Amino acid sequence: VASLEVFPKSAQIPLPDMKQQVVVIATFADGKTRDVTAEAFLESSLTDVVIVDKQGLATGLRRGEASLLARYEGAYAAATVVVMGDRSGFEWKDVPANNHLDELVYNKLKKIKVQPSELASDSDFIRRLYLDLLGVPPQPEEVRKFLADTRDTKVKRDEMIDRLIGSPEFVDHWTNKWADLLQVNRKFLGEEGAWAFRNWIRQSLSENQPYDQFVYQVLTASGSTLENPPASYYKVLRTPVDAMENTTQLFLAVRFSCNKCHDHPFERWTQDQYYNLSAYFAHVGRKASPDFAGKTLGGSAVEQALPAVEVIFDQGSGEVTHDRTGKVSPPKFPYTYPNAAAGEASRREQLARWITSKDNPYFAKSYVNRIWSYLLGVGVIEPIDDIRAGNPPSNPELLERLTADFIGSKFDVRELFREICKSRVYQQSIATNKWNKDDDANFSHAIARRLPAETLYDAVHVATGSTVRLPGVPAGFMASQLPDSGVELADGFLSLFGRPPRESACECERSTGVMLGQALNLVNGPTIAEAIADPTNRIAALVKTQPDDNKLVEELFMAILSRSPKPEETAAGVEAINAAKREYEGLAAELAKFEKEQLPARQAAWEKLQRTVAWTTLDVASATAASGAEAARQPDGSILFGAEPADKDRYTLLGATKLPGVTAIRVEALADASLPGGGPGRAPNGNFVLNELRLTAAAQDDLSAGKKIALKPADADFSQEGYPAAAAVDGDPKTGWAVVPNTGKSHVAIFETAEDVNFAAGAALSLVLDQEYGGGHAIGRLRISVTSAPRPVKLDKLPPAIAEILAVAADKRTPEQQAALATHYRSLDADYVRLSAMLAQSKTAHEQYRLQGAQDLTWALLNSPAFLFNR
């Protein structure tokens, strides 16, 4: 079989469920032809649009467009089938064509009954053009100047296209793209090598080097990877098969990797051709540069380190062995054409001439399809790096004309950009109409695409006017100017938004989808927040210089979205700018109302619930320590024990009280400067452990009839973890009350009596304090008090000054006491505390309410699809 064809080449099925017979014709080497439909294999590229049976009968299922691939005896061919669907009422309305590309697109649209969209507005066009060509949005003054230009739309748009193409920003943006494709990566090249390769790419694009010369120079580069940076191509691709697979996919859009292990399942490429083509890279030699001896990259326990800088050369030897046959595969091209490279040159030169020839059917075609896809959002062939018979172009005439024009311009890349951008097709609106809303493959309307990672990062900073601060490079250095993916932000912004790692030439490495992590980063990530908060940015300057809120909103919209706001957007923007002011005023009014209407009643109710316990200091008649430590009475009724070197100790205190019905005992362990660590214990760190507290009571007129009184815990101001106050009355001498790490401070614990201690003539009390922990962990200074207050007896946690005020009748308090009591209560009222905190926080914003409002509006606009996509 010499060739295969499918007829009709472009079929139309009027409605779903209708059918179209397809015929497969084989042409043989002797020139004869035969219908091989029944023997050929036929399949549809979109089985939800068209299905085809073994006899070649295609059935339409829904409106759409699909390819039918035919395979027979190693030959392949394809045809397009369009299922029209119901187009009742469709009437083609002529639209003006800017150039011949428009005519070819509209011929197809007219045929499939699709009406193209209107032109994009001037503001949409200028933003799209800047983002697509330069990777940054236009400045507001550029937008205003363009919108104010009253010349013919085509004239002023053509002029802007000519001005932007070739500008420094254009060169930086497309340098970054080519650095992706050529895998400029310090992982492979080192930092110095990555910078050198990137700078070479930039220089080539700056000089508008013809595309064929650019590729030829990459493929044939020899010498030091620093002195002749395109030689780095072979530092990255280190084996003949890797170099061949990458080269064919990148420069021809042919995926030769699919025929490595067997003949290509959907194309004419064979396994033999895989190794024949790889042989052209077999003579590439590499050696360490003597100028950088000893410097290496990478290396691990399983991978040998590589020289940091290498010299690439043609060594004149080396072959590729066919994996299946085990034989050496000679260099041979998989297809030929007139004026193919002569065989006397080096293998790489032969290959480079063959690839970059104007007669190579894939070279120019693959590049124009790539650029068309970058600018229109979808290729004429999609995926753009997979040209094959089974993946035909959606508009063959358009692709052929683009290819012919590119070759005719002698591979002038900038001319290709001009041709595409000046077309009406490129300049169409994303807004659809009734007839094209379901079209996403025939260029009837613009396709909004999320900004690539570097473009998004740069656009945020250009729009806000904030200073770009990327790690490892000078301030103001744009993301598009970075050498590789080795420079990253702390929040991983660039990687998160799909910057490729540059480890292959596949377009699939870069992601422009939308994920939850990206949304969260945009909402509360540091990249957006820091750009907005930059005190030297455009927002802060506008707030200072533009007192009119309406004009401030206008300026922000123009800077961020490259257009003026609609009336309703202006109103919403002004509301946002004044939101902090209104919030503060509202909170102040709410707090004032709360203070007037609710707070007094709440305070009065709280006062009624407060009950201070009246404690009487026990008059200690006798205090002894088992260790012999001296007990010295203090003026405040406390006892200070001398610091005798005792390991353990037991205190016995004897006293009397006239209080009837004693309900609780209060033990105060008091801090004292004379004690280690300030006390209140005698341990070196100021701690103590009270293991057991025992109480015996007797009538003062009959001391012989003493009675043990059980104690139970009621409350304590602080207890060490694992040493609660309750442990001092649990009957277990191994447990106790301690206060680490709160030493150097006084502490108090209350223990209720299990029964009231009630003797008519008064009670004689005996308290024993066992301190068995050892290491001197005895209380250094203590005071014992008793009370007959009603149960339950709780620790009085009010500050002494407040307790004193509460002991005074409400109508007897001085204004100072009333103010102090009100201040204390307000610190306890949860609603008052909450409202006061909100007002205090709002006050800070209120003082700069216009700046905060402008920042909030900016944040909202940056998070809108209108900014995140290249509308």
Side-chain angles (χ1 to χ4, degrees), residues 377-595:
V378 61
V380 185
I381 294 176
E382 194 68 35
I384 62 173
D385 52 6
D386 187 18
I387 298 179
R388 52 185 167 85
N391 188 30
S394 60
N395 192 322
E397 294 81 5
L398 172 64
L399 187 57
E400 289 304 320
R401 183 57 186 265
L402 280 167
T403 303
D405 290 347
F406 187 45
I407 294 172
S409 72
K410 297 183 179 179
F411 297 97
D412 187 327
V413 174
R414 293 183 186 176
E415 186 58 35
L416 174 62
F417 275 95
R418 291 189 193 97
E419 183 180 28
I420 296 174
C421 290
K422 289 181 180 181
S423 70
R424 186 186 185 281
V425 171
Y426 173 77
Q427 299 176 26
Q428 290 170 157
S429 171
I430 65 165
T432 59
N433 55 52
K434 174 183 178 181
W435 305 108
N436 70 356
K437 62 183 179 180
D438 61 349
D439 174 52
D440 57 5
N442 291 292
F443 323 113
S444 61
H445 59 86
I447 297 175
R449 288 161 284 140
R450 201 212 76 205
L451 302 184
E454 300 92 327
T455 298
L456 179 58
Y457 181 85
D458 291 343
V460 166
H461 290 80
V462 170
T464 58
S466 54
T467 302
V468 181
R469 292 183 174 88
L470 289 162
V473 293
F477 211 85
M478 308 298 280
S480 64
Q481 296 174 310
L482 293 174
D484 69 343
S485 58
V487 178
E488 183 56 279
L489 293 148
D491 64 344
F493 183 92
L494 295 174
S495 296
L496 178 65
F497 282 90
R499 180 180 63 177
R502 293 182 179 173
E503 295 183 357
S504 81
C506 183
E507 288 288 343
C508 58
E509 269 204 346
R510 179 177 289 278
S511 167
T512 55
V514 180
M515 302 182 297
L516 178 59
Q518 297 168 349
L520 293 175
N521 187 282
L522 290 170
V523 168
N524 59 19
T527 295
I528 301 293
E530 290 170 7
I532 293 175
D534 186 341
T536 64
N537 67 12
R538 186 196 310 275
I539 308 164
L542 285 172
V543 169
K544 290 179 181 178
T545 59
Q546 181 50 266
D548 187 314
D549 289 348
N550 288 277
K551 292 182 179 178
L552 177 56
V553 173
E554 164 82 20
E555 292 293 338
L556 291 174
F557 265 79
M558 191 63 71
I560 299 168
L561 302 185
S562 304
R563 66 171 175 84
S564 296
K566 301 172 184 176
E568 61 270 22
E569 291 171 333
T570 299
V574 171
E575 183 179 351
I577 288 173
N578 290 277
K581 178 182 178 182
R582 290 194 305 275
E583 180 183 357
Y584 176 79
E585 293 170 347
L587 284 172
E590 183 180 357
L591 183 59
K593 182 178 179 181
F594 181 80
E595 288 178 317

Side-chain angles (χ1 to χ4, degrees), residues 235-310:
K235 183 169 178 54
V236 176
L237 303 165
R238 305 193 65 82
T239 68
V241 293
D242 286 343
M244 183 277 296
E245 289 183 6
N246 193 89
T247 299
T248 51
Q249 184 168 354
L250 176 57
F251 299 123
L252 302 178
V254 174
R255 298 183 179 183
F256 246 63
S257 57
C258 295
N259 48 301
K260 180 178 182 179
C261 303
H262 46 71
D263 291 349
H264 198 299
F266 306 115
E267 252 293 2
R268 60 176 178 166
W269 315 123
T270 67
Q271 185 183 20
D272 291 345
Q273 290 171 336
Y274 177 93
Y275 293 98
N276 293 144
L277 194 54
S278 298
Y280 284 99
F281 296 95
H283 286 183
V284 177
R286 302 165 184 83
K287 61 183 178 181
S289 171
D291 296 333
F292 295 86
K295 294 186 177 181
T296 60
L297 291 173
S300 66
V302 296
E303 188 177 76
Q304 184 178 1
L306 297 173
V309 180
E310 290 181 294

Side-chain angles (χ1 to χ4, degrees), residues 171 200-210 414:
V171 173
W200 176 84
I201 295 171
R202 191 185 191 287
Q203 183 64 28
S204 298
L205 297 184
S206 180
E207 296 172 354
N208 194 29
Q209 185 178 34
R414 293 183 186 176

Side-chain angles (χ1 to χ4, degrees), residues 67-112:
S67 297
L68 296 183
L69 173 65
R71 303 202 307 268
Y72 177 71
E73 296 294 331
Y76 301 84
T80 301
V81 177
V82 175
V83 182
M84 293 295 295
D86 184 5
R87 308 305 276 176
S88 301
F90 176 83
E91 291 184 12
W92 174 260
K93 297 179 182 178
D94 285 332
V95 290
N98 288 355
N99 59 26
H100 50 270
L101 302 183
D102 296 328
E103 295 172 356
L104 295 171
V105 171
Y106 295 152
N107 286 343
K108 170 72 179 291
L109 294 181
K110 187 174 182 179
K111 182 179 179 182
I112 61 175

Side-chain angles (χ1 to χ4, degrees), residues 527-691:
T527 295
I528 301 293
E530 290 170 7
I532 293 175
D534 186 341
T536 64
N537 67 12
R538 186 196 310 275
I539 308 164
L542 285 172
V543 169
K544 290 179 181 178
T545 59
Q546 181 50 266
D548 187 314
D549 289 348
N550 288 277
K551 292 182 179 178
L552 177 56
V553 173
E554 164 82 20
E555 292 293 338
L556 291 174
F557 265 79
M558 191 63 71
I560 299 168
L561 302 185
S562 304
R563 66 171 175 84
S564 296
K566 301 172 184 176
E568 61 270 22
E569 291 171 333
T570 299
V574 171
E575 183 179 351
I577 288 173
N578 290 277
K581 178 182 178 182
R582 290 194 305 275
E583 180 183 357
Y584 176 79
E585 293 170 347
L587 284 172
E590 183 180 357
L591 183 59
K593 182 178 179 181
F594 181 80
E595 288 178 317
K596 180 180 179 180
E597 298 180 0
Q598 297 187 45
L599 204 59
R602 288 187 179 208
Q603 181 176 331
W606 171 79
E607 289 182 27
K608 290 180 180 179
L609 295 175
Q610 304 311 304
R611 178 168 59 87
T612 57
V613 178
W615 292 97
T616 301
T617 301
L618 185 67
D619 183 12
V620 178
S622 170
T624 59
S627 65
E630 180 183 352
R633 292 179 177 82
Q634 304 300 305
D636 61 358
S638 64
I639 308 295
L640 177 64
F641 289 89
E644 295 294 328
D647 185 50
K648 303 177 182 179
D649 216 336
R650 173 181 294 170
Y651 298 159
T652 302
L653 280 65
L654 301 176
T657 181
K658 294 290 187 180
L659 279 179
V662 171
T663 55
I665 303 292
R666 183 173 72 178
V667 178
E668 292 178 272
L670 304 174
D672 193 282
S674 67
L675 297 171
R682 287 161 53 181
N685 63 352
N687 196 20
F688 67 85
V689 179
L690 175 58
N691 296 94

